Amino acid sequence: MFENKDQQRTDLESLGEFGLIDHLTRHLKPIHPSSRTGVGDDAAVLRHGQADLAWSTDLLVEGVHFDLAYTPLAHLGYKAVVVNLSDICAMNMKPAQILVSIAVSNRFPLEALEELYKGIGRACEVYGVDLVGGDTTSSNKGLIISVTVIGATRVGAPVLRSGASPNDLLVVSGDLAGAYMGLQVLRREQEVFRANPNHRPDLEPYSYIVERQLKPEARTDVVELLEKLEVTPTAMIDISDGLSSEVLHLSKSGKVGCALYEEKIPLDPTVISVCEEFGLDSTTVALSGGEDYELLFTIRQEDFPKIKGNPNLSVIGHMTEAESGCHLITRGGAAIPLQARGWNAFSQEG
Ligand code: ADP
Ligand code: MG
């Protein structure tokens, strides 16, 4: 019944992460009315009585998503929780519970796992979420962490990726590209340390971006801010892969186009100077870098006065008719088609 008669072998790399998910799940459509969304949003939305519940899960694999040479275990535990909470924020909801599963090799002593759980506990404390279960097993090699998160809100309130209309404004929270540049600094210091183990890195000038990489935060504060400002986004996503990839998700799901203005992309001064130091273009890093865990959303034009001048929010573009496509409008006024060059789990570069 499950035989592959042709003995075909297709490289996963040729599909990419999203192509693969789409390929594997395209025939599996939800049958329960309580399954409000299927595959394809930041979290699944399930109706339960008078509430909508959002569920999301993420898997972190040693050597793929983190390198323990420069990631302290407590930071890893904190980050593993935060990246999941971010997916609930991306539904304009607040997280409430988490489940944590780990697969661990005998390379790790108890003390190492205690450190990991120190970070997990800290994230629970900071964000007011409860750890309510999980699973523990052994692995042949390395550490694997899976976190599942649940949030609840009133029926109909979750903001999906698909709700944008032409002329809606495109808004992003915080600033971008810091996490990627923090990673570049950490990798460079690791190389120097390998060559000279007496080397003591001075990360002080890079503290903002290193923190963005090692200790990202989920923007629950932005969800609360939007509630206070009485702004309900029409569509929303969090920035895990890079601005470009997330804009394309909003466009594809909402069947709209987008004009994104290069000069409007918010960048911290540290990011600009470190990009110069590394000879990288800061716009390219913001578009493709990823792991910033900021929120990207669209609002109706009439809501603009409510967010105008807010230091946490930047309007970076607007949505257009689908036929116009998705473009970056450069400082020079050129329109360049946006491409998803985000992090790809199956590419050689990783
Ligand atoms: P995010 O970057 O927001 O965490 P992902 O890119 O991991 O989202 O996943 C995109 C969508 O695909 C989500 O709705 C997720 O639930 C779904 N998905 C990812 N992997 C699988 C899988 N192996 N089987 C079914 N659905 C999946
Ligand atoms: Mg997401």
Side-chain angles (χ1 to χ4, degrees):
M1 169 184 182
F2 293 122
E3 216 174 315
N4 176 0
K5 291 204 185 74
D6 304 334
Q7 293 297 311
Q8 256 184 319
R9 274 192 61 87
T10 308
D11 273 344
L12 296 184
E13 201 180 329
S14 66
L15 289 150
E17 184 186 348
F18 306 121
L20 174 65
I21 295 170
D22 195 44
H23 183 85
L24 295 177
T25 61
R26 68 195 189 285
H27 301 305
L28 301 170
K29 299 295 174 209
I31 51 169
H32 291 283
S34 56
S35 305
R36 307 305 296 177
T37 61
V39 169
D41 220 302
D42 293 282
V45 179
L46 313 181
R47 186 148 300 174
H48 185 75
Q50 290 308 302
D52 273 336
L53 301 180
W55 297 65
S56 185
T57 192
D58 248 316
L59 194 57
L60 298 179
V61 178
E62 184 180 354
V64 180
H65 301 99
F66 59 89
D67 185 335
L68 290 174
Y70 51 74
T71 313
L73 277 159
H75 282 73
L76 178 64
Y78 190 87
K79 182 169 176 174
V81 175
V82 162
V83 302
N84 274 273
L85 304 186
S86 177
D87 276 323
I88 299 296
C89 295
M91 311 304 288
N92 203 30
M93 290 169 73
K94 284 175 233 166
Q97 285 92 11
I98 56 166
L99 297 134
V100 175
S101 300
I102 52 172
V104 58
S105 77
N106 58 11
R107 195 181 105 221
F108 293 87
L110 169 66
E111 289 72 15
L113 297 182
E114 282 176 345
E115 273 302 296
L116 180 75
Y117 269 72
K118 221 182 254 175
I120 291 173
R122 179 77 188 131
C124 288
E125 199 180 303
V126 168
Y127 290 96
V129 299
D130 297 333
L131 172 67
V132 292
D135 194 19
T136 303
T137 185
S138 56
S139 86
N140 290 338
K141 200 167 156 265
L143 177 63
I144 299 169
I145 309 168
S146 165
V147 179
T148 299
V149 59
I150 303 151
T153 189
R154 64 176 200 284
V155 163
V159 174
L160 307 185
R161 287 182 180 179
S162 57
S165 303
N167 299 321
D168 281 357
L169 299 176
L170 183 67
V171 186
V172 70
S173 65
D175 53 70
L176 301 178
Y180 183 84
M181 291 318 296
L183 181 63
Q184 302 317 304
V185 168
L186 287 167
R187 282 185 173 157
R188 182 179 68 185
E189 293 306 322
Q190 192 196 10
E191 286 304 312
V192 177
F193 181 78
R194 266 198 198 128
N196 173 13
N198 294 320
H199 171 73
R200 289 280 165 271
D202 176 18
L203 293 177
E204 179 54 31
Y206 308 103
S207 58
Y208 176 67
I209 56 173
V210 166
E211 184 139 325
R212 293 284 282 169
Q213 169 58 222
L214 292 183
K215 194 170 166 289
E217 302 293 352
R219 299 306 305 257
T220 47
D221 60 325
V222 171
V223 173
E224 280 161 15
L225 174 69
L226 291 171
E227 196 178 6
K228 206 172 93 206
L229 296 173
E230 297 180 5
V231 174
T232 304
T234 49
M236 207 175 201
I237 190 169
D238 70 327
I239 303 187
S240 50
D241 292 335
L243 182 59
S244 179
S245 166
E246 317 305 358
V247 167
L248 291 169
H249 279 311
L250 291 184
S251 298
K252 192 177 170 209
S253 308
K255 300 188 176 61
V256 287
C258 181
L260 169 67
Y261 291 84
E262 181 180 24
E263 63 184 356
K264 305 279 188 200
I265 298 175
L267 300 170
D268 187 85
T270 319
V271 167
I272 297 170
S273 63
V274 177
C275 278
E276 270 169 27
E277 194 181 320
F278 277 78
L280 292 172
D281 174 53
S282 54
T283 302
T284 309
V285 177
L287 289 174
S288 306
E291 290 206 294
D292 289 312
Y293 298 104
E294 294 295 342
L295 295 176
L296 179 73
F297 55 94
T298 52
I299 61 167
R300 287 182 208 90
Q301 295 243 0
E302 69 232 39
D303 281 334
F304 175 62
K306 298 185 194 166
I307 67 150
K308 193 178 165 198
N310 192 298
N312 286 298
L313 305 174
S314 309
V315 176
I316 55 172
H318 61 267
M319 308 319 273
T320 60
E321 298 294 339
E323 303 78 67
S324 314
C326 291
H327 293 94
L328 176 76
I329 316 298
T330 66
R331 287 191 185 86
I336 301 174
L338 278 184
Q339 282 176 321
R341 289 224 183 82
W343 183 87
N344 184 335
F346 305 110
S347 74
Q348 296 298 327
E349 288 171 29

